[in-house]
Amino acid sequence: MSEQEVTSTDNVGKNEDEIDPAQDPRLELLAKKPDQMEKLIALCFVVAIVCFVAMMVFYVKGSSTQVEGALMAVGFGGLGVGMVAWGKYLMPKGPFEEERHLIGSTEEDQKAFADVFIGRGTVAVKRRSFLGKLLGLATAVFGIFALGPIMDSLGPNPGKALDSTAWKKGSKVVSEHGRAIKVDDLEVGGFMTVFPEGNVGSYDGQTLLIRAGSSDIVTMAGRETWGPKGYLAYSKVCTHAGCPISLYQQETEQLLCPCHQSLFNVLQAAEPVFGPAPRPLPQLPLAIDKNGYIVAQAGYNEPIGPGYWNF
Amino acid sequence: MPSLLKKDKPKQTGAEKATAGAKWLDDRLGLAKGGRVFFNKIFPDHWSFMLGEIALYSFVVLLVTGVFLTLYYVPSADMMTYHGSYAPLKGTQVSAAYNSTLAISFNVRFGLLVRQMHHWAADIFLGAIAVHMCRVFFTGAFRRPRELNWIVGVTLLILGISNGFLGYSLPDDLISGTGLRIMFSVVESIPVVGTHLAFWLFGGNYPGNGVIIPRMYMLHVLLVPAIMVALVGAHLALLVKQKHTQFSGPGKTEKNVVGTPMWPGFMFKTQGYFFLVVAVLAGLGGWAQINPIWQYGQYFPYKVSYAVQPDWYMGWLDGALRIMPSWEFQNFGYMIPNMFFPSVLLPGIAFNIFIVWPFIEAKVRKDYKEHHLLERPRDNPWRTSIGAGALAFFFMLFAASSTDVLANYFNISLNLVLWFFRFATYIIPFIVSAVTYKMCLELQALGQYGGRRKRFNVVLRTAEGEYLSVKTPARPGDLDILSGEEEEPLELTEQVSQKLRESAELIGVSGSESTKVQPPADEGVRTVERD
């Protein structure tokens, strides 16, 4: 029996054409009352038509998303139920059977293929292997050429871009609206997002300015002058995944990153105390200039944000 | 004259015209023989074969709704002032991408419905793929000769997850923007080449020069879908070439497939099934709000929202990020960052195991034969328990992506939740595996009785306090009747019956009628009188 024949178990060995359709139990319908089933399916389709007409009306008149969704759902639901019922109850109920054959080719076929591929083709190609090498070289040269424009189009090399930010010595601390911050602007316990003047909104310049006290704060040895009048500044970019750290818990003096819940201790140089963050947030050394504005003593002394290979 | 020519020809019926048309085509393409094979292709009737169809039809809905969305969406990060109809955002600075997504949601008729259908279709597409993959895995449908189709399927899963991420990043809202920043860090964390890759992807240091949105748009609507359409085609072509697997049953062997033929039964059913998938997606799109970007606001790199979770299929990766201990490796001025382990290594290992699994299993079990009959999961406890353990692992990671929400909801400390997940994520899968293994063995033992149930005993206490164990009336399918191992039921002597009757009266149960039981005829009719 060939692959394409379909037979029932009752008719194994017979050709499709030899089975009298009137005698074939597979061709019977599953529905006991086909006429009723037909009416039911017709009703489903009518429901769909009504829904789709209503959608046209509402498209012109305008309506709500809920009405549109409901009409579309019921309309397509009607089509779906109708067609499944049609396929299930008003089509030959089967079960039909299909034979399976070996998927791989016969050995003769495989050998015949090898004869053509290797015998006729590969041997002939190999005879001129020098040409083949030259062809490979030509395409390789083109490939190397293509790397240039592709890489240039994609983007620049990182270079030292990740190592520093726009903060430098004397950068004025300004708010997200560009207003310079004076020493009396924050109450103790207050905090805000600040940027270096001239780079408002920049990703790597974003810094948290926290007023953790009213007198100078030393977060670790070597940072004796970094926190004048209780002002501390840390990079807002989380050292874990780079999210902006936006929650300051005044009671515990901790910063929380909302993405993966890393906690940093504000008074101890933003050491991570909880969560996946592996490194403290870099601290920006602050100073207060003669007019009472808060400025940076210098830029960050280490790269901000998440880690990378050539750190 | 044309009218004269027409008169000369006998009028054709519709069927004759169709036949003539088909013949015209066949004369040029030679489709009749192959077409017959195709229309005779058998689809097994088991429900679990519909899971892949859900994925396929969600994909079709994705393509159609996606084309509609491209008519309105503007892939640009250029900033502008919002003048649309959503009052709370009026006058604020938004990107063209965000602006156009708001316009689709509020100003395009059926726009929000289509947008939400598109998002739901993506979630259901990946959900259906995951469940379909479980079906294929737990029944061993990936075994020879279907290893290649398994790999095509896993590739589709990876591309689907990637394109889902690209898609929900396009609106440029606050939540997706944060996700995009995390993705930059993920790429950046790859040793040696990470920073270069990240800079190439984003066109420079984060957030780039506004090129990431057009690039993601190109990937999302052109490159990735084109590959996926080709792979879906290959997936289906292989399925036709290799024919379906089937569960064993009467008349079903390794040498045949039993079920519904392609034409007409299956085509009608599956077309109806497509409509039903559309119906469900339309219902969800209309009634279940998803990704209300107007509530999140425009993305700015220094703003962030609380309780941020990605779409469900990214959840396991987010969870892995959260429970990763704060380790980082620094040496000789080089670093392997913390992110590398949970967000590059973990999915890398997971997807590679998926891809090579058919070959691992064939090697371990030394089974290189062709298989077309599916295994029931219980019949391969080894594979089933590994799969269940893996599912438990992924589920725990997924749950860990909500540590903050869980801590809030149960009002417990975030520390406690995190430490729980740091251990439970690795412990629970082993427990699940062990329990699954045992359950498989139990089910196998039950299997030899064809899944029939045990016959129950009823324990009665008489008024005097005496306990009696009496078998319940037999029901068809009871184990002892079928296996012929029935013990003699407790003989209801007159003495016992009397006691029972008295007890029944005491507790207010009316005197029972005689209960007749009809065991299968070939077992002989046995009548139990209870009076």
Side-chain angles (χ1 to χ4, degrees), chain A residues 84-98:
Chain A
V84 170
W86 192 353
K88 188 171 165 100
Y89 294 106
L90 299 182
M91 298 282 175
K93 70 170 181 175
F96 292 84
E97 182 190 7
E98 180 184 30

Side-chain angles (χ1 to χ4, degrees), chain B residues 235-261:
Chain B
H235 205 61
L236 297 177
L238 276 171
L239 175 129
V240 171
K241 173 80 188 166
Q242 299 179 333
K243 301 197 165 86
H244 269 78
T245 53
Q246 62 186 353
F247 283 100
S248 55
K252 297 174 183 173
T253 68
E254 287 280 3
K255 302 230 172 253
N256 71 359
V257 202
V258 178
T260 310

Side-chain angles (χ1 to χ4, degrees), chain A residues 4-8 16 26-30 83-100, chain B residues 36-47 49-50 53 239-240 243-247 251-252 256-271:
Chain A
Q4 59 262 44
E5 253 111 31
V6 164
T7 60
S8 84
E16 182 82 338
R26 299 170 308 162
L27 298 181
E28 287 168 11
L29 307 184
L30 202 60
M83 285 215 65
V84 170
W86 192 353
K88 188 171 165 100
Y89 294 106
L90 299 182
M91 298 282 175
K93 70 170 181 175
F96 292 84
E97 182 190 7
E98 180 184 30
E99 284 207 354
R100 221 186 270 284
Chain B
R36 186 180 174 190
V37 176
F38 186 68
F39 280 151
N40 274 348
K41 176 174 167 51
I42 295 292
F43 291 80
D45 288 325
H46 196 269
W47 63 267
F49 287 78
M50 300 193 302
E53 286 176 64
L239 175 129
V240 171
K243 301 197 165 86
H244 269 78
T245 53
Q246 62 186 353
F247 283 100
K252 297 174 183 173
N256 71 359
V257 202
V258 178
T260 310
M262 172 80 90
W263 179 258
F266 179 76
M267 273 205 180
F268 273 67
K269 281 198 264 186
T270 197
Q271 181 64 44

Side-chain angles (χ1 to χ4, degrees), chain B residues 473-487:
Chain B
R475 295 163 301 172
D478 276 353
L479 202 56
D480 48 4
I481 294 180
L482 285 165
S483 58
E485 289 169 8
E486 186 173 15
E487 296 157 30

Side-chain angles (χ1 to χ4, degrees), chain B residues 59 62 118-119 121-123 125-126 156-171 176 180 183 216 219-221 224-225 228 291 310-314:
Chain B
F59 186 63
L62 278 172
H118 191 72
H119 201 130
D123 281 349
F125 173 61
L126 285 157
L156 278 168
L157 172 69
I158 298 169
L159 290 174
I161 291 175
S162 313
N163 220 28
F165 177 82
L166 290 169
Y168 78 65
S169 297
L170 285 176
S176 71
L180 209 50
M183 192 49 68
M216 287 195 304
L219 291 171
H220 179 73
V221 308
V224 182
M228 287 179 79
N291 203 20
D311 268 28
W312 79 267
Y313 45 83
M314 298 291 287

Side-chain angles (χ1 to χ4, degrees), chain B residues 483-502:
Chain B
S483 58
E485 289 169 8
E486 186 173 15
E487 296 157 30
E488 280 303 304
L490 182 70
E491 208 172 317
L492 287 171
T493 58
E494 184 51 37
Q495 201 187 352
V496 172
S497 304
Q498 181 62 27
K499 279 176 183 166
L500 284 174
R501 207 161 34 238
E502 284 162 9

